[in-house]
Amino acid sequence: MSKLLIIGGSDAGISAALRARELDATWEVTVVVEDAFPNYSICGLPFYLSGEVPAYQQLAHRTHAELSAAGISLLLNHQARAIEPDAHEVVVWEATHPARRLPYDRLLIATGARSRRPRFPGIDVPGVFLLHSMQDSFAMQRFLSEHAPRSAVIVGGGYIGLEMVDALTLRGIAVTLVEHGPSVLKTIDPHLGARVRTHLEQHGVVVETGIRVQQITAQQKQLRISGTEGFEVATDLVLVAVGVEPRVELAQAIGAELGTQGAIRVSRSMETSLPDIVAAGDCVETWHRLLTRPTYLPLGTTAHKQGRIAGETAIGRSARFAGTLGTQVVKVFDLVVARTGLREDEARAAGFDSLTTAGTYLDHKGYYPGAQSVQMLLSGDRTTGRLLGAQMVGPVQTEVAKRIDVVATALFHDMTVEALSDLDLSYTPPLGSPWDLVQMGAHAWSALASGNISTSLVHAHDSRLFQKP
Amino acid sequence: MSKLLIIGGSDAGISAALRARELDATWEVTVVVEDAFPNYSICGLPFYLSGEVPAYQQLAHRTHAELSAAGISLLLNHQARAIEPDAHEVVVWEATHPARRLPYDRLLIATGARSRRPRFPGIDVPGVFLLHSMQDSFAMQRFLSEHAPRSAVIVGGGYIGLEMVDALTLRGIAVTLVEHGPSVLKTIDPHLGARVRTHLEQHGVVVETGIRVQQITAQQKQLRISGTEGFEVATDLVLVAVGVEPRVELAQAIGAELGTQGAIRVSRSMETSLPDIVAAGDCVETWHRLLTRPTYLPLGTTAHKQGRIAGETAIGRSARFAGTLGTQVVKVFDLVVARTGLREDEARAAGFDSLTTAGTYLDHKGYYPGAQSVQMLLSGDRTTGRLLGAQMVGPVQTEVAKRIDVVATALFHDMTVEALSDLDLSYTPPLGSPWDLVQMGAHAWSALASGNISTSLVHAHDSRLFQKP
């Protein structure tokens, strides 16, 4: 029997294992997992820490028994220490046991990412946390239970930072969010980031932007965190969530080529530069479908897709990663923020003749109770008419996550903005409009692109049209 | 100035008028409206009758003033009685005034549809209603106010019938729904229709299927309605909602070709068989993108799209209707029912080698509170792999209307079922899964199509996989 060995038991590793076994059950598939938590949903950690998910075991996408039933062997609490490509072996350690050598015919490196760890003094003081692994979340959970903190500072206004703002506020903790950029959630336009900030403030969160944290010190029973612009706060807990970086040490040690942002370079089939070794997930580059070049965008959805492709490639099938569009969504309190494709500035940097329209649209017909506003930015190329991206912010009920998915599906097919009007989308007054708001946005964009801005009447009642400054 | 004359002031007529004026303001655009309610949302009538929309005026998509500001002349309460193609004139009547002749360079027929009126005795008895026009809704509203009916029978379990079941139940009226077919909402698979039926019954609605109404008689202060299978009920009000038929008399009188189900035959550019006369909306055939032939599918979304194309064609631009996919959605109480593309039986009748999988999926990660089940049928062609359609039923919070839109966008681009996995859809645990349920359904379909049904573990926790009998 041929052996597929997988280093890493999170999204990419397990997806690859399942796909390989699904397609060809003659492969012996072994997954080396560094902790006791294979196939756990890392994206679920904030909801465990908020108390919404009472038991951490619920975070498992699948149980150990289910994975075994699929014919996957799991080596839990095993650390892969070295790859020996010539021998086709991996050296693994398990606690105090002697090192073992595991042979492979094909190897998948799915070592994921780790939290970025800023260098300022005090990052190691007790009460200061990072959040990426199950162990991280256990440590924080224990602190929350034992110390019942009443205040917290979260450093970093990205996805995890915002979800943790929500989570800790839900626990009754007074939260201050510190972001070094000029607005929160820098993956979206500052124009929309401002709405997110207002929403945070309405939920009692103190938001400090434009501040770089410089130091944390223990002070009696509290922590003192200080930064630029005279920022100084006493708090009970600090969470540092300033992004992640790929874990590439094993790959690097054997000379695998690295690419964008130090992630492992892979082909569209997830092959590394070394024979018989594929890689996938948060440790590798991500092909971007619009930029037509690799980028680094570590997301669970992408890890699943890349893992699936890597599983196929590993067992000798032909498969190709279709690429990311950078589709992302986050829920913060009652607000959902979603994006797909390129932002205006990203599109311009990539050489597109980008035009972005901003509009506010009702999620469904205004006469039906409960209609709420969605703010949308829609970007297209003025020269070719090609759709380039969209961002939406709206309350949970406005279904913006799925509306972004419609745009993502359109982007996948290189549609023009104009052609969005041709899509046969569903309509009933409680849930939409005869032209869905995506299509109203497309009309507005076309009107602006062609100079017909007087035609905003077409969108009367449901939108206001204005050009981004 | 060239003159565009439009007969009909509903979705298609007004969309055409707006589009023509948007593209070329030198055209003089006049719309002949038979009542005083141009550009009203007919789809909103059930919500007016439920009391959710307190004032009927709210149902206007745009006000008279807004339409005038767009340069559109409205002739309200005018009836078009005849078209004289040789003279390029339309004869209109306004109450007791003498007939007028309106000249045109281009004419748009957008006369819409009317309620189908069954022939059984008693259809004209007071207390029996049809529902398609504003006048219909006023008559019914008056009856509801003056007679405060305590019970109602709704004949017809289609979209309008179900929305009115919801509306009248909300008013505290005990509703019986009578449907001649074997299940409610025959636009979806009976398998899903059964879930809708259960939902209706949970809301206190009596559902009678397989019954053809034969007679209604006035009996003291009530109505007695009887049908096949010994059906007989005394009730205070009857609504007959058994579909619509195209209004084609004006077009037929001048020899315009008719097509499917007696609707006006039109080209993809919305031209009729007669020179200088276009037609759009509920009075015309609808090009079906999957069937690649005309069908009759009168929907507001389609009327808007066709109107827009007709407006362009009328003023000499080149435009082409992309076609319908039959995308539809209805909300009944707390349940949303959505479909796009072809049902298994429709696909087979059209010559596709259709395979349909049925599954139940959680709308978001099970560990996050509030996850609810969505039932989905997914159809594809076993020979070519091509996606053919989907149907979904789930509570409002499961966002199935927009998930159907993702499938509709995929169908628009002739995707294979397999390729759905490549779509970069959004994910956050409160709103979805790393593979959205559409993609889980695609995996299930592929597994079944390739005979790998043992692989249902891939979907563990989130789905159950079974083949439709």
Side-chain angles (χ1 to χ4, degrees), chain B residues 118-145:
Chain B
R119 284 159 214 251
F120 55 72
I123 185 80
D124 292 317
V125 169
V128 179
F129 297 91
L130 300 175
L131 183 59
H132 191 71
S133 66
M134 292 305 294
Q135 291 305 340
D136 291 340
S137 72
F138 295 151
M140 190 161 167
Q141 183 73 292
R142 199 158 44 236
F143 187 91
L144 290 166
S145 305

mmCIF file of all heavy atoms in Angstrom, chain B residues 118-145:
data_model
loop_
_atom_site.group_PDB
_atom_site.id
_atom_site.type_symbol
_atom_site.label_atom_id
_atom_site.label_comp_id
_atom_site.label_asym_id
_atom_site.label_seq_id
_atom_site.Cartn_x
_atom_site.Cartn_y
_atom_site.Cartn_z
ATOM 1 N N PRO B 118 -61.652 30.510 -12.636
ATOM 2 C CA PRO B 118 -62.246 29.193 -12.893
ATOM 3 C C PRO B 118 -63.744 29.343 -13.211
ATOM 4 O O PRO B 118 -64.351 30.350 -12.846
ATOM 5 C CB PRO B 118 -62.038 28.431 -11.579
ATOM 6 C CG PRO B 118 -61.211 29.300 -10.702
ATOM 7 C CD PRO B 118 -61.257 30.678 -11.236
ATOM 8 N N ARG B 119 -64.299 28.309 -13.870
ATOM 9 C CA ARG B 119 -65.668 28.464 -14.359
ATOM 10 C C ARG B 119 -66.726 27.903 -13.411
ATOM 11 O O ARG B 119 -67.890 27.818 -13.778
ATOM 12 C CB ARG B 119 -65.819 27.710 -15.691
ATOM 13 C CG ARG B 119 -65.184 28.435 -16.856
ATOM 14 C CD ARG B 119 -64.898 27.439 -17.989
ATOM 15 N NE ARG B 119 -63.665 27.815 -18.693
ATOM 16 C CZ ARG B 119 -63.648 28.303 -19.923
ATOM 17 N NH1 ARG B 119 -64.757 28.425 -20.615
ATOM 18 N NH2 ARG B 119 -62.509 28.638 -20.482
ATOM 19 N N PHE B 120 -66.349 27.428 -12.248
ATOM 20 C CA PHE B 120 -67.382 26.764 -11.428
ATOM 21 C C PHE B 120 -68.468 27.757 -10.987
ATOM 22 O O PHE B 120 -68.206 28.952 -10.872
ATOM 23 C CB PHE B 120 -66.754 26.036 -10.236
ATOM 24 C CG PHE B 120 -65.893 26.863 -9.348
ATOM 25 C CD1 PHE B 120 -66.445 27.821 -8.492
ATOM 26 C CD2 PHE B 120 -64.519 26.686 -9.339
ATOM 27 C CE1 PHE B 120 -65.642 28.566 -7.661
ATOM 28 C CE2 PHE B 120 -63.707 27.435 -8.512
ATOM 29 C CZ PHE B 120 -64.254 28.377 -7.680
ATOM 30 N N PRO B 121 -69.672 27.253 -10.737
ATOM 31 C CA PRO B 121 -70.768 28.135 -10.333
ATOM 32 C C PRO B 121 -70.453 28.792 -8.989
ATOM 33 O O PRO B 121 -69.919 28.149 -8.092
ATOM 34 C CB PRO B 121 -71.975 27.184 -10.184
ATOM 35 C CG PRO B 121 -71.574 25.896 -10.822
ATOM 36 C CD PRO B 121 -70.080 25.843 -10.831
ATOM 37 N N GLY B 122 -70.752 30.059 -8.898
ATOM 38 C CA GLY B 122 -70.568 30.764 -7.638
ATOM 39 C C GLY B 122 -69.323 31.616 -7.593
ATOM 40 O O GLY B 122 -69.080 32.308 -6.600
ATOM 41 N N ILE B 123 -68.543 31.611 -8.662
ATOM 42 C CA ILE B 123 -67.307 32.394 -8.680
ATOM 43 C C ILE B 123 -67.605 33.898 -8.546
ATOM 44 O O ILE B 123 -66.742 34.671 -8.122
ATOM 45 C CB ILE B 123 -66.479 32.069 -9.959
ATOM 46 C CG1 ILE B 123 -65.120 32.791 -9.951
ATOM 47 C CG2 ILE B 123 -67.241 32.435 -11.215
ATOM 48 C CD1 ILE B 123 -64.093 32.124 -9.120
ATOM 49 N N ASP B 124 -68.869 34.289 -8.897
ATOM 50 C CA ASP B 124 -69.233 35.708 -8.835
ATOM 51 C C ASP B 124 -69.995 36.105 -7.574
ATOM 52 O O ASP B 124 -70.379 37.264 -7.421
ATOM 53 C CB ASP B 124 -70.095 36.074 -10.049
ATOM 54 C CG ASP B 124 -69.276 36.012 -11.330
ATOM 55 O OD1 ASP B 124 -68.134 36.497 -11.311
ATOM 56 O OD2 ASP B 124 -69.771 35.453 -12.319
ATOM 57 N N VAL B 125 -70.223 35.172 -6.697
ATOM 58 C CA VAL B 125 -70.979 35.475 -5.474
ATOM 59 C C VAL B 125 -70.196 36.485 -4.618
ATOM 60 O O VAL B 125 -68.970 36.383 -4.523
ATOM 61 C CB VAL B 125 -71.208 34.152 -4.691
ATOM 62 C CG1 VAL B 125 -71.747 34.432 -3.286
ATOM 63 C CG2 VAL B 125 -72.151 33.237 -5.458
ATOM 64 N N PRO B 126 -70.867 37.453 -4.023
ATOM 65 C CA PRO B 126 -70.164 38.393 -3.145
ATOM 66 C C PRO B 126 -69.443 37.654 -2.014
ATOM 67 O O PRO B 126 -69.989 36.706 -1.440
ATOM 68 C CB PRO B 126 -71.294 39.269 -2.582
ATOM 69 C CG PRO B 126 -72.387 39.171 -3.591
ATOM 70 C CD PRO B 126 -72.295 37.790 -4.170
ATOM 71 N N GLY B 127 -68.237 38.105 -1.738
ATOM 72 C CA GLY B 127 -67.426 37.410 -0.724
ATOM 73 C C GLY B 127 -66.402 36.481 -1.346
ATOM 74 O O GLY B 127 -65.538 35.945 -0.661
ATOM 75 N N VAL B 128 -66.486 36.310 -2.678
ATOM 76 C CA VAL B 128 -65.487 35.507 -3.409
ATOM 77 C C VAL B 128 -64.568 36.481 -4.151
ATOM 78 O O VAL B 128 -65.049 37.350 -4.881
ATOM 79 C CB VAL B 128 -66.159 34.541 -4.409
ATOM 80 C CG1 VAL B 128 -65.098 33.737 -5.156
ATOM 81 C CG2 VAL B 128 -67.135 33.631 -3.680
ATOM 82 N N PHE B 129 -63.276 36.343 -3.962
ATOM 83 C CA PHE B 129 -62.334 37.318 -4.522
ATOM 84 C C PHE B 129 -61.255 36.665 -5.379
ATOM 85 O O PHE B 129 -60.883 35.510 -5.169
ATOM 86 C CB PHE B 129 -61.644 38.088 -3.385
ATOM 87 C CG PHE B 129 -62.600 38.903 -2.569
ATOM 88 C CD1 PHE B 129 -63.205 38.367 -1.435
ATOM 89 C CD2 PHE B 129 -62.944 40.185 -2.968
ATOM 90 C CE1 PHE B 129 -64.118 39.109 -0.693
ATOM 91 C CE2 PHE B 129 -63.840 40.940 -2.232
ATOM 92 C CZ PHE B 129 -64.437 40.390 -1.091
ATOM 93 N N LEU B 130 -60.805 37.471 -6.334
ATOM 94 C CA LEU B 130 -59.553 37.176 -7.050
ATOM 95 C C LEU B 130 -58.572 38.240 -6.571
ATOM 96 O O LEU B 130 -58.970 39.225 -5.959
ATOM 97 C CB LEU B 130 -59.760 37.303 -8.565
ATOM 98 C CG LEU B 130 -60.813 36.385 -9.189
ATOM 99 C CD1 LEU B 130 -60.977 36.737 -10.668
ATOM 100 C CD2 LEU B 130 -60.403 34.919 -9.045
ATOM 101 N N LEU B 131 -57.290 38.072 -6.858
ATOM 102 C CA LEU B 131 -56.336 39.078 -6.391
ATOM 103 C C LEU B 131 -55.213 39.277 -7.395
ATOM 104 O O LEU B 131 -54.296 38.457 -7.505
ATOM 105 C CB LEU B 131 -55.752 38.656 -5.026
ATOM 106 C CG LEU B 131 -54.783 39.660 -4.395
ATOM 107 C CD1 LEU B 131 -55.437 41.004 -4.164
ATOM 108 C CD2 LEU B 131 -54.229 39.107 -3.087
ATOM 109 N N HIS B 132 -55.320 40.360 -8.151
ATOM 110 C CA HIS B 132 -54.203 40.682 -9.039
ATOM 111 C C HIS B 132 -53.984 42.192 -9.145
ATOM 112 O O HIS B 132 -52.849 42.640 -9.262
ATOM 113 C CB HIS B 132 -54.422 40.087 -10.425
ATOM 114 C CG HIS B 132 -53.201 40.154 -11.286
ATOM 115 N ND1 HIS B 132 -52.098 39.370 -11.060
ATOM 116 C CD2 HIS B 132 -52.883 40.951 -12.338
ATOM 117 C CE1 HIS B 132 -51.151 39.658 -11.945
ATOM 118 N NE2 HIS B 132 -51.602 40.623 -12.730
ATOM 119 N N SER B 133 -55.092 42.952 -9.091
ATOM 120 C CA SER B 133 -54.960 44.408 -9.286
ATOM 121 C C SER B 133 -55.138 45.139 -7.965
ATOM 122 O O SER B 133 -55.549 44.576 -6.956
ATOM 123 C CB SER B 133 -56.045 44.877 -10.265
ATOM 124 O OG SER B 133 -57.317 44.705 -9.646
ATOM 125 N N MET B 134 -54.836 46.427 -8.003
ATOM 126 C CA MET B 134 -55.077 47.262 -6.830
ATOM 127 C C MET B 134 -56.575 47.249 -6.503
ATOM 128 O O MET B 134 -56.960 47.168 -5.337
ATOM 129 C CB MET B 134 -54.598 48.693 -7.106
ATOM 130 C CG MET B 134 -53.088 48.863 -7.243
ATOM 131 S SD MET B 134 -52.125 48.258 -5.831
ATOM 132 C CE MET B 134 -52.649 49.404 -4.546
ATOM 133 N N GLN B 135 -57.413 47.332 -7.546
ATOM 134 C CA GLN B 135 -58.867 47.313 -7.318
ATOM 135 C C GLN B 135 -59.285 46.038 -6.586
ATOM 136 O O GLN B 135 -60.108 46.067 -5.671
ATOM 137 C CB GLN B 135 -59.623 47.431 -8.650
ATOM 138 C CG GLN B 135 -59.512 48.788 -9.338
ATOM 139 C CD GLN B 135 -59.945 49.967 -8.452
ATOM 140 O OE1 GLN B 135 -60.663 49.793 -7.455
ATOM 141 N NE2 GLN B 135 -59.475 51.158 -8.790
ATOM 142 N N ASP B 136 -58.722 44.893 -7.019
ATOM 143 C CA ASP B 136 -59.014 43.628 -6.334
ATOM 144 C C ASP B 136 -58.701 43.753 -4.847
ATOM 145 O O ASP B 136 -59.462 43.300 -3.986
ATOM 146 C CB ASP B 136 -58.132 42.491 -6.879
ATOM 147 C CG ASP B 136 -58.478 42.096 -8.308
ATOM 148 O OD1 ASP B 136 -59.603 42.402 -8.766
ATOM 149 O OD2 ASP B 136 -57.608 41.477 -8.962
ATOM 150 N N SER B 137 -57.553 44.353 -4.563
ATOM 151 C CA SER B 137 -57.136 44.390 -3.153
ATOM 152 C C SER B 137 -57.993 45.365 -2.358
ATOM 153 O O SER B 137 -58.292 45.128 -1.193
ATOM 154 C CB SER B 137 -55.645 44.733 -3.034
ATOM 155 O OG SER B 137 -55.417 46.080 -3.350
ATOM 156 N N PHE B 138 -58.433 46.459 -3.013
ATOM 157 C CA PHE B 138 -59.327 47.386 -2.310
ATOM 158 C C PHE B 138 -60.644 46.697 -1.963
ATOM 159 O O PHE B 138 -61.173 46.851 -0.863
ATOM 160 C CB PHE B 138 -59.616 48.626 -3.170
ATOM 161 C CG PHE B 138 -58.386 49.462 -3.422
ATOM 162 C CD1 PHE B 138 -58.276 50.213 -4.590
ATOM 163 C CD2 PHE B 138 -57.335 49.505 -2.516
ATOM 164 C CE1 PHE B 138 -57.152 50.989 -4.840
ATOM 165 C CE2 PHE B 138 -56.200 50.275 -2.760
ATOM 166 C CZ PHE B 138 -56.117 51.010 -3.926
ATOM 167 N N ALA B 139 -61.157 45.946 -2.922
ATOM 168 C CA ALA B 139 -62.431 45.255 -2.697
ATOM 169 C C ALA B 139 -62.303 44.285 -1.529
ATOM 170 O O ALA B 139 -63.160 44.230 -0.643
ATOM 171 C CB ALA B 139 -62.845 44.510 -3.972
ATOM 172 N N MET B 140 -61.201 43.573 -1.511
ATOM 173 C CA MET B 140 -61.023 42.590 -0.451
ATOM 174 C C MET B 140 -60.798 43.279 0.896
ATOM 175 O O MET B 140 -61.328 42.870 1.921
ATOM 176 C CB MET B 140 -59.850 41.685 -0.795
ATOM 177 C CG MET B 140 -59.767 40.491 0.128
ATOM 178 S SD MET B 140 -58.757 39.202 -0.629
ATOM 179 C CE MET B 140 -58.525 38.159 0.818
ATOM 180 N N GLN B 141 -60.015 44.357 0.867
ATOM 181 C CA GLN B 141 -59.740 45.101 2.101
ATOM 182 C C GLN B 141 -61.042 45.633 2.689
ATOM 183 O O GLN B 141 -61.267 45.554 3.906
ATOM 184 C CB GLN B 141 -58.782 46.258 1.779
ATOM 185 C CG GLN B 141 -58.342 47.089 2.952
ATOM 186 C CD GLN B 141 -57.345 46.356 3.843
ATOM 187 O OE1 GLN B 141 -57.689 45.375 4.515
ATOM 188 N NE2 GLN B 141 -56.110 46.795 3.828
ATOM 189 N N ARG B 142 -61.911 46.141 1.829
ATOM 190 C CA ARG B 142 -63.194 46.679 2.279
ATOM 191 C C ARG B 142 -64.011 45.567 2.935
ATOM 192 O O ARG B 142 -64.559 45.734 4.014
ATOM 193 C CB ARG B 142 -63.943 47.280 1.074
ATOM 194 C CG ARG B 142 -65.047 48.255 1.434
ATOM 195 C CD ARG B 142 -65.381 49.187 0.270
ATOM 196 N NE ARG B 142 -65.458 48.445 -0.980
ATOM 197 C CZ ARG B 142 -64.738 48.717 -2.072
ATOM 198 N NH1 ARG B 142 -63.882 49.708 -2.078
ATOM 199 N NH2 ARG B 142 -64.879 47.984 -3.167
ATOM 200 N N PHE B 143 -64.041 44.424 2.272
ATOM 201 C CA PHE B 143 -64.800 43.293 2.815
ATOM 202 C C PHE B 143 -64.244 42.876 4.176
ATOM 203 O O PHE B 143 -64.997 42.609 5.119
ATOM 204 C CB PHE B 143 -64.748 42.127 1.827
ATOM 205 C CG PHE B 143 -65.641 40.975 2.214
ATOM 206 C CD1 PHE B 143 -66.956 40.904 1.754
ATOM 207 C CD2 PHE B 143 -65.181 39.956 3.034
ATOM 208 C CE1 PHE B 143 -67.783 39.842 2.114
ATOM 209 C CE2 PHE B 143 -65.997 38.883 3.397
ATOM 210 C CZ PHE B 143 -67.306 38.825 2.938
ATOM 211 N N LEU B 144 -62.923 42.840 4.277
ATOM 212 C CA LEU B 144 -62.288 42.442 5.541
ATOM 213 C C LEU B 144 -62.653 43.426 6.659
ATOM 214 O O LEU B 144 -62.945 43.021 7.788
ATOM 215 C CB LEU B 144 -60.762 42.380 5.380
ATOM 216 C CG LEU B 144 -60.217 41.239 4.519
ATOM 217 C CD1 LEU B 144 -58.747 41.472 4.158
ATOM 218 C CD2 LEU B 144 -60.368 39.898 5.237
ATOM 219 N N SER B 145 -62.670 44.709 6.335
ATOM 220 C CA SER B 145 -62.996 45.723 7.338
ATOM 221 C C SER B 145 -64.470 45.664 7.720
ATOM 222 O O SER B 145 -64.824 45.711 8.890
ATOM 223 C CB SER B 145 -62.715 47.127 6.798
ATOM 224 O OG SER B 145 -61.399 47.209 6.367
#
